[in-house]
Amino acid sequence: MMYTTGRRVRFSLFGTSHGPCVGCVLEGMPKGMPVDEMRIAEDMELRRPKKGIGTPRREEDRVGILQGVQDGKTDGTPILLAIDNSDTDGSKYLRFARTPRPGHADLPALAKFPGYDIRGGGQFSGRLTAPIVAAGSIAKQLIRRSGIEVSAFSRSIGGIIDDGERSITDASGSGAFATRACTEELDATMEREIISASSDGDSVGGVVECITTGLPIGFGGIWFEALDSEIAGAVFSIPACKGVEFGRGFGLAGMRGSESNDPFFVKNGIKCKTNNMGGILGGMSDGAPMVFRAVFKPTPSIAKPQRTVDIETMKNAEVSVEGRHDPCIVPRAVSVVEAVTALVLADQMMRDPGRSV
Ligand SMILES: Cc1cc2nc3c(=O)[nH]c(=O)nc-3n(C[C@H](O)[C@H](O)[C@H](O)COP(=O)(O)O)c2cc1C
């Protein structure tokens, strides 16, 4: 089974955590576009778990481009990407088929899919975000040709909140830090927050912020093709995402229109004085950077014992998770948020290529 999104640039995802591979098909990219495999490898490296704060599962994450790219350029056919799963130890997961983990997809998945392969979280695993990042990297290469850049960073992890003003340069600099924080100091405190939760057998969540620059005024669509609507849909599809807000988001509820409206002024074209709307008006870019935040819940798999049920005996039970898992999803979700955003932007751009350049 493949899971598909997009209209002109269509992205289809396949695989499971402990099957032979995970991968995707990317259709609708323009023919003859150079594809830089080094950039794909760099993006994949940023998604990989970091020692001490990520899952101990070690995967090489080498992306095989099996079709669609010849001599470094797209050939106009669907691009097929595959990534091997090699470090698979499914033994610790089998008991969740009887005692589903609270917070994970086990219970509804067992009810919905007869014979569901629960190892590693099956098709609900964060492992499936590897091909998303690979395809997103190609989408970034397409939109960059029109001057559009996407970068995300960790705005908060657990109780540690970055309250600084951040630009796209800060966001892209977060690649230097394991937590994807914007500064060395925040990286150290966020790392301590993750380690402290994990040494208690627990986990933490947090907020990813994503900034996109270079969108011309009018880029996007309306109603069900609105830029914010499509991006929110794509970001909500990332496992563990529980909320998305653009600009001041929920904070707008307490503001007056005179405070929240972003006034226009003229300086080398039309500009916005503030960016409370996160760069979107009517589903289209208003020319300001597009800024949104996504909240990721604390990782459901934790070592601490939790209440559950035994679905064979239909009695109350307890479960604790000894398998390998990320004590915090946020640093790895940063790359995935960038990738889905780039995929939506590439799709929107190819739907109306005249408007976006
Ligand atoms: C990059 C990434 C890594 C993840 N790693 C884990 C993990 O190690 N353990 C875990 O329980 N959940 C992990 N998750 C979250 C689960 O996949 C997710 O919570 C689960 O599928 C239930 O979906 P929902 O949280 O969207 O309801 C990860 C998610 C992402 C995006």
Side-chain angles (χ1 to χ4, degrees):
M1 167 114 192
M2 295 220 281
Y3 312 100
T4 301
T5 183
R7 295 184 189 211
R8 284 294 290 274
V9 171
R10 282 167 62 79
F11 171 80
S12 303
L13 182 65
F14 63 83
T16 57
S17 175
H18 283 50
C21 70
V22 288
C24 65
V25 179
L26 186 61
E27 298 167 89
M29 297 295 281
K31 188 175 173 181
M33 185 191 108
V35 174
D36 184 343
E37 291 191 39
M38 284 296 286
R39 283 217 179 235
I40 301 177
E42 280 164 24
D43 281 326
M44 294 303 290
E45 185 55 38
L46 289 173
R47 194 204 73 97
R48 290 182 80 194
K50 302 291 173 299
K51 209 161 179 275
I53 60 163
T55 172
R57 178 173 176 176
R58 288 286 163 260
E59 292 286 1
E60 251 190 84
D61 281 352
R62 191 170 303 137
V63 180
I65 305 182
L66 306 185
Q67 194 188 296
V69 177
Q70 276 183 46
D71 303 324
K73 287 191 176 157
T74 53
D75 63 10
T77 65
I79 301 170
L80 173 58
L81 307 177
I83 304 162
D84 286 344
N85 290 332
S86 46
D87 188 8
T88 51
D89 171 13
S91 58
K92 299 246 165 60
Y93 290 88
L94 299 177
R95 64 206 170 87
F96 307 140
R98 237 179 112 161
T99 49
R101 287 167 291 175
H104 213 291
D106 303 341
L107 180 66
L110 287 162
K112 192 173 174 79
F113 304 112
Y116 169 59
D117 179 3
I118 201 163
R119 293 171 306 148
Q123 61 267 49
F124 299 90
S125 167
R127 179 79 192 132
L128 271 86
T129 62
I132 297 180
V133 169
S137 183
I138 298 176
K140 275 187 202 166
Q141 294 179 35
L142 171 66
I143 60 176
R144 193 170 287 135
R145 288 153 62 91
S146 299
I148 301 167
E149 295 284 344
V150 181
S151 259
F153 65 97
S154 296
R155 176 55 86 177
S156 75
I157 284 182
I160 311 301
I161 299 165
D162 173 357
D163 55 11
E165 284 267 324
R166 300 297 173 199
S167 66
I168 190 148
T169 314
D170 299 318
S172 59
S174 74
F177 304 114
T179 62
R180 298 300 302 267
C182 283
T183 68
E184 202 173 339
E185 200 186 337
L186 278 162
D187 179 53
T189 45
M190 286 180 176
E191 180 164 332
R192 276 200 296 277
E193 183 83 343
I194 298 173
I195 290 169
S196 145
S198 131
S199 51
D200 288 345
D202 220 328
S203 61
V204 275
V207 172
V208 173
E209 183 165 316
C210 184
I211 306 176
T212 301
T213 55
L215 294 174
I217 296 176
F219 184 105
I222 66 167
W223 288 105
F224 308 112
E225 292 191 55
L227 199 48
D228 43 358
S229 138
E230 291 196 349
I231 285 177
V235 175
F236 263 118
S237 309
I238 304 172
C241 174
K242 281 292 170 188
V244 178
E245 64 174 10
F246 281 78
R248 297 288 284 263
F250 281 76
L252 290 166
M255 294 169 85
R256 293 202 165 184
S258 54
E259 298 169 290
S260 66
N261 291 339
D262 299 312
F264 302 124
F265 68 101
V266 177
K267 190 181 177 191
N268 303 321
I270 300 168
K271 299 274 159 24
C272 296
K273 215 170 171 48
T274 51
N275 194 5
N276 296 322
M277 299 303 139
I280 308 267
L281 292 173
M284 298 161 286
S285 172
D286 63 9
M290 181 175 76
V291 181
F292 70 86
R293 281 171 292 281
V295 57
F296 287 86
K297 71 188 192 184
T299 315
S301 298
I302 54 172
K304 261 195 179 152
Q306 299 176 92
R307 306 291 295 270
T308 184
V309 289
D310 182 324
I311 56 179
E312 273 179 31
T313 61
M314 285 307 278
K315 294 233 164 77
N316 293 327
E318 226 177 47
V319 67
S320 71
V321 184
E322 292 148 26
R324 300 169 299 175
H325 52 264
D326 294 293
C328 181
I329 291 160
V330 177
R332 304 185 66 203
V334 168
S335 308
V336 191
V337 168
E338 283 179 8
V340 297
T341 304
L343 284 165
V344 170
L345 292 171
D347 183 27
Q348 288 259 359
M349 196 169 123
M350 292 306 288
R351 264 181 252 168
D352 196 357
R355 187 181 50 192
S356 54
V357 284

